[in-house]
Amino acid sequence: MHPPARHHHPKPGDPPLAPCGHMWVFAYGSLIWRPGFAHAGRHRALLRGWHRSFCLWSHRYRGTPDVPGLVLGLDRGGACHGVAFRVPGDHAAEVLRYLDDRELPDGAEVVYHRRLVPARILDTPGLVVPAVTYVVNRASRNYVPRLPAERAASVIAAGVGQMGANRDYLLNTLSHLQELGVRDAGLERIAALLPAGLDA
């Protein structure tokens, strides 16, 4: 057998570059307001076939094993407005390593899968780019689908973890979506159900 041609079969760790030579990253939660990496462009984007949902228990970053919080995942169905970051090709490998370390940490429960998805760039008519994003691992023990808004609000109000209060995570995401002109009815309903007077 002939060895595979490397240029036809990139390694799994190689950054997926778009034809323009850049790597795109689709952000739907904390990456919108805390990307943690340098980028050459930031664009409002639409992803079809997936929706943003508080569908993952957090026992570390936004909660504890005794008092878990909730974090966002991309789950199947619907559509999601978010942000597409454009990363120059010569920084793509470094950024991809950072994102994998952030979303797929070694030794932790695997709650996300990295996927390449078609993101529509809304400020450039007709432009659809292959974007890296992280979708929920439905096989994870932390996956909690279709949690009622009242229950989600109760959990988020109580959760505090290494990265701070769970309610701040929700409210930061919501405020940055609103700055983009994006309405997320599901997140807005949960935020409206948060108990008053508990701001961190």
Side-chain angles (χ1 to χ4, degrees):
M1 292 181 61
H2 296 291
R6 289 184 182 180
H7 60 282
H8 290 312
H9 301 281
K11 298 187 298 293
D14 285 350
L17 301 182
C20 62
H22 295 90
M23 181 177 77
W24 293 84
V25 178
F26 181 79
Y28 57 90
S30 63
L31 278 177
I32 293 175
W33 44 272
R34 190 176 57 85
F37 58 88
H39 48 275
R42 181 179 186 271
H43 308 263
R44 182 173 161 182
L46 173 65
L47 177 60
R48 297 193 183 279
W50 301 88
H51 68 282
R52 178 177 25 246
S53 174
F54 274 105
C55 59
L56 286 165
W57 294 117
S58 177
H59 300 120
R60 180 178 171 190
Y61 293 118
R62 296 292 174 174
T64 65
D66 292 333
V67 184
L70 286 167
V71 291
L72 292 164
L74 274 182
D75 208 350
R76 292 188 178 278
C80 180
H81 282 87
V83 167
F85 291 103
R86 182 166 50 88
V87 177
D90 54 353
H91 295 295
E94 174 188 351
V95 169
L96 193 64
R97 282 194 300 272
Y98 163 78
L99 290 170
D100 280 353
D101 286 346
R102 174 168 167 167
E103 307 295 347
L104 311 171
D106 287 341
E109 176 81 10
V110 178
V111 297
Y112 297 110
H113 292 307
R114 188 200 325 148
R115 291 284 298 269
L116 198 63
V117 295
R120 182 172 297 278
I121 306 303
L122 297 179
D123 59 13
T124 306
L127 179 60
V128 177
V129 299
V132 171
T133 198
Y134 294 82
V135 305
V136 66
N137 171 19
R138 286 185 158 190
S140 168
R141 295 171 295 176
N142 291 349
Y143 177 56
V144 52
R146 297 179 296 277
L147 199 64
E150 293 80 6
R151 173 68 173 140
S154 175
V155 169
I156 289 169
V160 180
Q162 291 181 0
M163 299 300 293
N166 204 171
R167 65 184 290 127
D168 291 345
Y169 173 86
L170 163 59
L171 297 177
N172 273 332
T173 302
L174 195 54
S175 66
H176 283 80
L177 288 173
Q178 290 168 346
E179 287 176 9
L180 291 169
V182 173
R183 297 289 303 273
D184 187 307
L187 266 59
E188 289 175 3
R189 184 175 179 209
I190 293 170
L193 291 166
L194 288 174
L198 296 177
D199 290 319

mmCIF file of all heavy atoms in Angstrom, residues 164-194:
data_model
loop_
_atom_site.group_PDB
_atom_site.id
_atom_site.type_symbol
_atom_site.label_atom_id
_atom_site.label_comp_id
_atom_site.label_asym_id
_atom_site.label_seq_id
_atom_site.Cartn_x
_atom_site.Cartn_y
_atom_site.Cartn_z
ATOM 1 N N GLY A 164 -16.509 32.151 38.358
ATOM 2 C CA GLY A 164 -17.430 33.141 38.886
ATOM 3 C C GLY A 164 -18.865 32.663 38.920
ATOM 4 O O GLY A 164 -19.154 31.472 38.785
ATOM 5 N N ALA A 165 -19.763 33.623 39.112
ATOM 6 C CA ALA A 165 -21.178 33.317 39.286
ATOM 7 C C ALA A 165 -21.814 32.887 37.972
ATOM 8 O O ALA A 165 -21.574 33.481 36.915
ATOM 9 C CB ALA A 165 -21.913 34.533 39.841
ATOM 10 N N ASN A 166 -22.648 31.882 38.057
ATOM 11 C CA ASN A 166 -23.344 31.371 36.877
ATOM 12 C C ASN A 166 -24.254 32.443 36.264
ATOM 13 O O ASN A 166 -24.373 32.565 35.043
ATOM 14 C CB ASN A 166 -24.164 30.140 37.286
ATOM 15 C CG ASN A 166 -24.455 29.185 36.142
ATOM 16 O OD1 ASN A 166 -24.953 28.088 36.356
ATOM 17 N ND2 ASN A 166 -24.171 29.579 34.912
ATOM 18 N N ARG A 167 -24.893 33.255 37.125
ATOM 19 C CA ARG A 167 -25.788 34.284 36.595
ATOM 20 C C ARG A 167 -25.023 35.318 35.780
ATOM 21 O O ARG A 167 -25.548 35.867 34.800
ATOM 22 C CB ARG A 167 -26.603 34.944 37.716
ATOM 23 C CG ARG A 167 -25.811 35.729 38.721
ATOM 24 C CD ARG A 167 -26.699 36.253 39.848
ATOM 25 N NE ARG A 167 -27.594 37.300 39.415
ATOM 26 C CZ ARG A 167 -28.913 37.296 39.606
ATOM 27 N NH1 ARG A 167 -29.495 36.289 40.215
ATOM 28 N NH2 ARG A 167 -29.655 38.298 39.201
ATOM 29 N N ASP A 168 -23.764 35.597 36.149
ATOM 30 C CA ASP A 168 -22.961 36.533 35.365
ATOM 31 C C ASP A 168 -22.687 35.990 33.970
ATOM 32 O O ASP A 168 -22.656 36.743 32.986
ATOM 33 C CB ASP A 168 -21.640 36.832 36.075
ATOM 34 C CG ASP A 168 -21.827 37.645 37.342
ATOM 35 O OD1 ASP A 168 -22.910 38.227 37.536
ATOM 36 O OD2 ASP A 168 -20.882 37.688 38.158
ATOM 37 N N TYR A 169 -22.451 34.680 33.891
ATOM 38 C CA TYR A 169 -22.241 34.021 32.594
ATOM 39 C C TYR A 169 -23.468 34.206 31.708
ATOM 40 O O TYR A 169 -23.360 34.564 30.529
ATOM 41 C CB TYR A 169 -21.952 32.544 32.858
ATOM 42 C CG TYR A 169 -21.872 31.626 31.664
ATOM 43 C CD1 TYR A 169 -20.689 31.450 30.954
ATOM 44 C CD2 TYR A 169 -22.979 30.889 31.260
ATOM 45 C CE1 TYR A 169 -20.613 30.572 29.881
ATOM 46 C CE2 TYR A 169 -22.916 30.006 30.193
ATOM 47 C CZ TYR A 169 -21.725 29.857 29.506
ATOM 48 O OH TYR A 169 -21.670 28.987 28.444
ATOM 49 N N LEU A 170 -24.650 33.984 32.257
ATOM 50 C CA LEU A 170 -25.896 34.176 31.507
ATOM 51 C C LEU A 170 -26.069 35.627 31.105
ATOM 52 O O LEU A 170 -26.326 35.943 29.928
ATOM 53 C CB LEU A 170 -27.085 33.708 32.346
ATOM 54 C CG LEU A 170 -28.480 34.180 31.904
ATOM 55 C CD1 LEU A 170 -28.806 33.740 30.489
ATOM 56 C CD2 LEU A 170 -29.539 33.694 32.887
ATOM 57 N N LEU A 171 -25.945 36.550 32.061
ATOM 58 C CA LEU A 171 -26.229 37.955 31.790
ATOM 59 C C LEU A 171 -25.201 38.574 30.859
ATOM 60 O O LEU A 171 -25.543 39.412 30.015
ATOM 61 C CB LEU A 171 -26.330 38.730 33.103
ATOM 62 C CG LEU A 171 -27.481 38.287 34.018
ATOM 63 C CD1 LEU A 171 -27.461 39.049 35.336
ATOM 64 C CD2 LEU A 171 -28.842 38.447 33.326
ATOM 65 N N ASN A 172 -23.929 38.163 30.965
ATOM 66 C CA ASN A 172 -22.914 38.648 30.027
ATOM 67 C C ASN A 172 -23.218 38.186 28.609
ATOM 68 O O ASN A 172 -23.118 38.963 27.651
ATOM 69 C CB ASN A 172 -21.521 38.147 30.444
ATOM 70 C CG ASN A 172 -20.840 39.059 31.431
ATOM 71 O OD1 ASN A 172 -21.085 40.252 31.452
ATOM 72 N ND2 ASN A 172 -19.980 38.500 32.257
ATOM 73 N N THR A 173 -23.561 36.915 28.475
ATOM 74 C CA THR A 173 -23.889 36.394 27.140
ATOM 75 C C THR A 173 -25.091 37.136 26.570
ATOM 76 O O THR A 173 -25.077 37.568 25.410
ATOM 77 C CB THR A 173 -24.173 34.881 27.212
ATOM 78 O OG1 THR A 173 -23.029 34.205 27.746
ATOM 79 C CG2 THR A 173 -24.476 34.325 25.827
ATOM 80 N N LEU A 174 -26.115 37.317 27.376
ATOM 81 C CA LEU A 174 -27.330 37.977 26.916
ATOM 82 C C LEU A 174 -27.067 39.425 26.515
ATOM 83 O O LEU A 174 -27.520 39.884 25.460
ATOM 84 C CB LEU A 174 -28.384 37.913 28.023
ATOM 85 C CG LEU A 174 -29.831 38.229 27.648
ATOM 86 C CD1 LEU A 174 -30.306 37.360 26.497
ATOM 87 C CD2 LEU A 174 -30.729 38.045 28.856
ATOM 88 N N SER A 175 -26.292 40.149 27.326
ATOM 89 C CA SER A 175 -26.041 41.564 27.016
ATOM 90 C C SER A 175 -25.213 41.716 25.742
ATOM 91 O O SER A 175 -25.452 42.629 24.945
ATOM 92 C CB SER A 175 -25.346 42.258 28.188
ATOM 93 O OG SER A 175 -24.042 41.753 28.395
ATOM 94 N N HIS A 176 -24.262 40.809 25.525
ATOM 95 C CA HIS A 176 -23.449 40.906 24.312
ATOM 96 C C HIS A 176 -24.245 40.494 23.073
ATOM 97 O O HIS A 176 -24.026 41.039 21.983
ATOM 98 C CB HIS A 176 -22.168 40.082 24.457
ATOM 99 C CG HIS A 176 -21.136 40.759 25.298
ATOM 100 N ND1 HIS A 176 -21.170 40.746 26.673
ATOM 101 C CD2 HIS A 176 -20.047 41.505 24.968
ATOM 102 C CE1 HIS A 176 -20.154 41.441 27.153
ATOM 103 N NE2 HIS A 176 -19.454 41.903 26.146
ATOM 104 N N LEU A 177 -25.167 39.554 23.222
ATOM 105 C CA LEU A 177 -26.056 39.239 22.110
ATOM 106 C C LEU A 177 -26.924 40.443 21.776
ATOM 107 O O LEU A 177 -27.143 40.769 20.597
ATOM 108 C CB LEU A 177 -26.936 38.030 22.455
ATOM 109 C CG LEU A 177 -26.235 36.675 22.483
ATOM 110 C CD1 LEU A 177 -27.187 35.601 23.000
ATOM 111 C CD2 LEU A 177 -25.715 36.288 21.097
ATOM 112 N N GLN A 178 -27.415 41.123 22.793
ATOM 113 C CA GLN A 178 -28.255 42.298 22.564
ATOM 114 C C GLN A 178 -27.470 43.406 21.879
ATOM 115 O O GLN A 178 -28.005 44.119 21.028
ATOM 116 C CB GLN A 178 -28.852 42.777 23.888
ATOM 117 C CG GLN A 178 -29.910 41.821 24.433
ATOM 118 C CD GLN A 178 -30.320 42.102 25.870
ATOM 119 O OE1 GLN A 178 -29.650 42.848 26.590
ATOM 120 N NE2 GLN A 178 -31.406 41.487 26.312
ATOM 121 N N GLU A 179 -26.186 43.555 22.230
ATOM 122 C CA GLU A 179 -25.337 44.535 21.548
ATOM 123 C C GLU A 179 -25.209 44.227 20.062
ATOM 124 O O GLU A 179 -25.059 45.128 19.233
ATOM 125 C CB GLU A 179 -23.948 44.573 22.183
ATOM 126 C CG GLU A 179 -23.901 45.241 23.546
ATOM 127 C CD GLU A 179 -22.519 45.177 24.171
ATOM 128 O OE1 GLU A 179 -21.565 44.762 23.452
ATOM 129 O OE2 GLU A 179 -22.380 45.519 25.344
ATOM 130 N N LEU A 180 -25.268 42.931 19.732
ATOM 131 C CA LEU A 180 -25.200 42.510 18.330
ATOM 132 C C LEU A 180 -26.542 42.672 17.616
ATOM 133 O O LEU A 180 -26.636 42.459 16.410
ATOM 134 C CB LEU A 180 -24.776 41.039 18.242
ATOM 135 C CG LEU A 180 -23.351 40.684 18.633
ATOM 136 C CD1 LEU A 180 -23.202 39.174 18.744
ATOM 137 C CD2 LEU A 180 -22.353 41.237 17.617
ATOM 138 N N GLY A 181 -27.581 43.002 18.383
ATOM 139 C CA GLY A 181 -28.917 43.072 17.821
ATOM 140 C C GLY A 181 -29.602 41.726 17.746
ATOM 141 O O GLY A 181 -30.537 41.531 16.974
ATOM 142 N N VAL A 182 -29.124 40.765 18.564
ATOM 143 C CA VAL A 182 -29.664 39.409 18.559
ATOM 144 C C VAL A 182 -30.597 39.225 19.750
ATOM 145 O O VAL A 182 -30.230 39.519 20.891
ATOM 146 C CB VAL A 182 -28.523 38.362 18.623
ATOM 147 C CG1 VAL A 182 -29.083 36.953 18.782
ATOM 148 C CG2 VAL A 182 -27.655 38.454 17.371
ATOM 149 N N ARG A 183 -31.789 38.736 19.481
ATOM 150 C CA ARG A 183 -32.720 38.370 20.539
ATOM 151 C C ARG A 183 -32.699 36.856 20.694
ATOM 152 O O ARG A 183 -32.859 36.118 19.730
ATOM 153 C CB ARG A 183 -34.154 38.809 20.186
ATOM 154 C CG ARG A 183 -34.355 40.302 20.054
ATOM 155 C CD ARG A 183 -34.281 40.994 21.394
ATOM 156 N NE ARG A 183 -35.242 40.463 22.365
ATOM 157 C CZ ARG A 183 -36.512 40.891 22.474
ATOM 158 N NH1 ARG A 183 -36.977 41.820 21.657
ATOM 159 N NH2 ARG A 183 -37.302 40.384 23.404
ATOM 160 N N ASP A 184 -32.480 36.392 21.922
ATOM 161 C CA ASP A 184 -32.527 34.962 22.217
ATOM 162 C C ASP A 184 -33.628 34.773 23.252
ATOM 163 O O ASP A 184 -33.424 35.016 24.451
ATOM 164 C CB ASP A 184 -31.180 34.463 22.744
ATOM 165 C CG ASP A 184 -31.132 32.949 22.891
ATOM 166 O OD1 ASP A 184 -32.032 32.399 23.555
ATOM 167 O OD2 ASP A 184 -30.193 32.321 22.352
ATOM 168 N N ALA A 185 -34.799 34.362 22.788
ATOM 169 C CA ALA A 185 -35.969 34.291 23.661
ATOM 170 C C ALA A 185 -35.757 33.321 24.811
ATOM 171 O O ALA A 185 -36.229 33.567 25.935
ATOM 172 C CB ALA A 185 -37.201 33.892 22.847
ATOM 173 N N GLY A 186 -35.051 32.215 24.557
ATOM 174 C CA GLY A 186 -34.820 31.239 25.606
ATOM 175 C C GLY A 186 -33.982 31.796 26.740
ATOM 176 O O GLY A 186 -34.326 31.655 27.925
ATOM 177 N N LEU A 187 -32.880 32.476 26.396
ATOM 178 C CA LEU A 187 -32.029 33.078 27.419
ATOM 179 C C LEU A 187 -32.745 34.219 28.125
ATOM 180 O O LEU A 187 -32.597 34.396 29.345
ATOM 181 C CB LEU A 187 -30.717 33.567 26.801
ATOM 182 C CG LEU A 187 -29.531 32.595 26.853
ATOM 183 C CD1 LEU A 187 -29.849 31.295 26.149
ATOM 184 C CD2 LEU A 187 -28.275 33.235 26.271
ATOM 185 N N GLU A 188 -33.501 35.005 27.372
ATOM 186 C CA GLU A 188 -34.228 36.116 27.985
ATOM 187 C C GLU A 188 -35.255 35.612 29.000
ATOM 188 O O GLU A 188 -35.440 36.223 30.062
ATOM 189 C CB GLU A 188 -34.923 36.942 26.899
ATOM 190 C CG GLU A 188 -33.959 37.747 26.042
ATOM 191 C CD GLU A 188 -34.635 38.474 24.907
ATOM 192 O OE1 GLU A 188 -35.883 38.404 24.813
ATOM 193 O OE2 GLU A 188 -33.931 39.121 24.112
ATOM 194 N N ARG A 189 -35.906 34.505 28.701
ATOM 195 C CA ARG A 189 -36.899 33.968 29.631
ATOM 196 C C ARG A 189 -36.229 33.505 30.917
ATOM 197 O O ARG A 189 -36.727 33.739 32.027
ATOM 198 C CB ARG A 189 -37.661 32.809 28.984
ATOM 199 C CG ARG A 189 -38.775 32.278 29.884
ATOM 200 C CD ARG A 189 -39.602 31.206 29.203
ATOM 201 N NE ARG A 189 -40.626 30.739 30.148
ATOM 202 C CZ ARG A 189 -41.131 29.527 30.143
ATOM 203 N NH1 ARG A 189 -40.730 28.649 29.253
ATOM 204 N NH2 ARG A 189 -42.064 29.177 31.008
ATOM 205 N N ILE A 190 -35.086 32.813 30.780
ATOM 206 C CA ILE A 190 -34.372 32.353 31.970
ATOM 207 C C ILE A 190 -33.918 33.556 32.809
ATOM 208 O O ILE A 190 -34.073 33.569 34.030
ATOM 209 C CB ILE A 190 -33.164 31.481 31.573
ATOM 210 C CG1 ILE A 190 -33.648 30.171 30.930
ATOM 211 C CG2 ILE A 190 -32.295 31.162 32.789
ATOM 212 C CD1 ILE A 190 -32.542 29.353 30.296
ATOM 213 N N ALA A 191 -33.374 34.580 32.153
ATOM 214 C CA ALA A 191 -32.905 35.763 32.875
ATOM 215 C C ALA A 191 -34.052 36.452 33.606
ATOM 216 O O ALA A 191 -33.879 36.935 34.739
ATOM 217 C CB ALA A 191 -32.231 36.733 31.904
ATOM 218 N N ALA A 192 -35.216 36.492 32.982
ATOM 219 C CA ALA A 192 -36.372 37.133 33.616
ATOM 220 C C ALA A 192 -36.845 36.373 34.842
ATOM 221 O O ALA A 192 -37.512 36.954 35.729
ATOM 222 C CB ALA A 192 -37.511 37.244 32.609
ATOM 223 N N LEU A 193 -36.514 35.096 34.927
ATOM 224 C CA LEU A 193 -36.932 34.261 36.059
ATOM 225 C C LEU A 193 -35.907 34.220 37.188
ATOM 226 O O LEU A 193 -36.158 33.608 38.228
ATOM 227 C CB LEU A 193 -37.197 32.823 35.565
ATOM 228 C CG LEU A 193 -38.425 32.648 34.667
ATOM 229 C CD1 LEU A 193 -38.386 31.286 33.979
ATOM 230 C CD2 LEU A 193 -39.710 32.796 35.488
ATOM 231 N N LEU A 194 -34.744 34.876 36.994
ATOM 232 C CA LEU A 194 -33.750 34.896 38.061
ATOM 233 C C LEU A 194 -34.302 35.653 39.272
ATOM 234 O O LEU A 194 -34.912 36.702 39.117
ATOM 235 C CB LEU A 194 -32.472 35.570 37.583
ATOM 236 C CG LEU A 194 -31.596 34.810 36.585
ATOM 237 C CD1 LEU A 194 -30.455 35.696 36.117
ATOM 238 C CD2 LEU A 194 -31.048 33.525 37.209
#
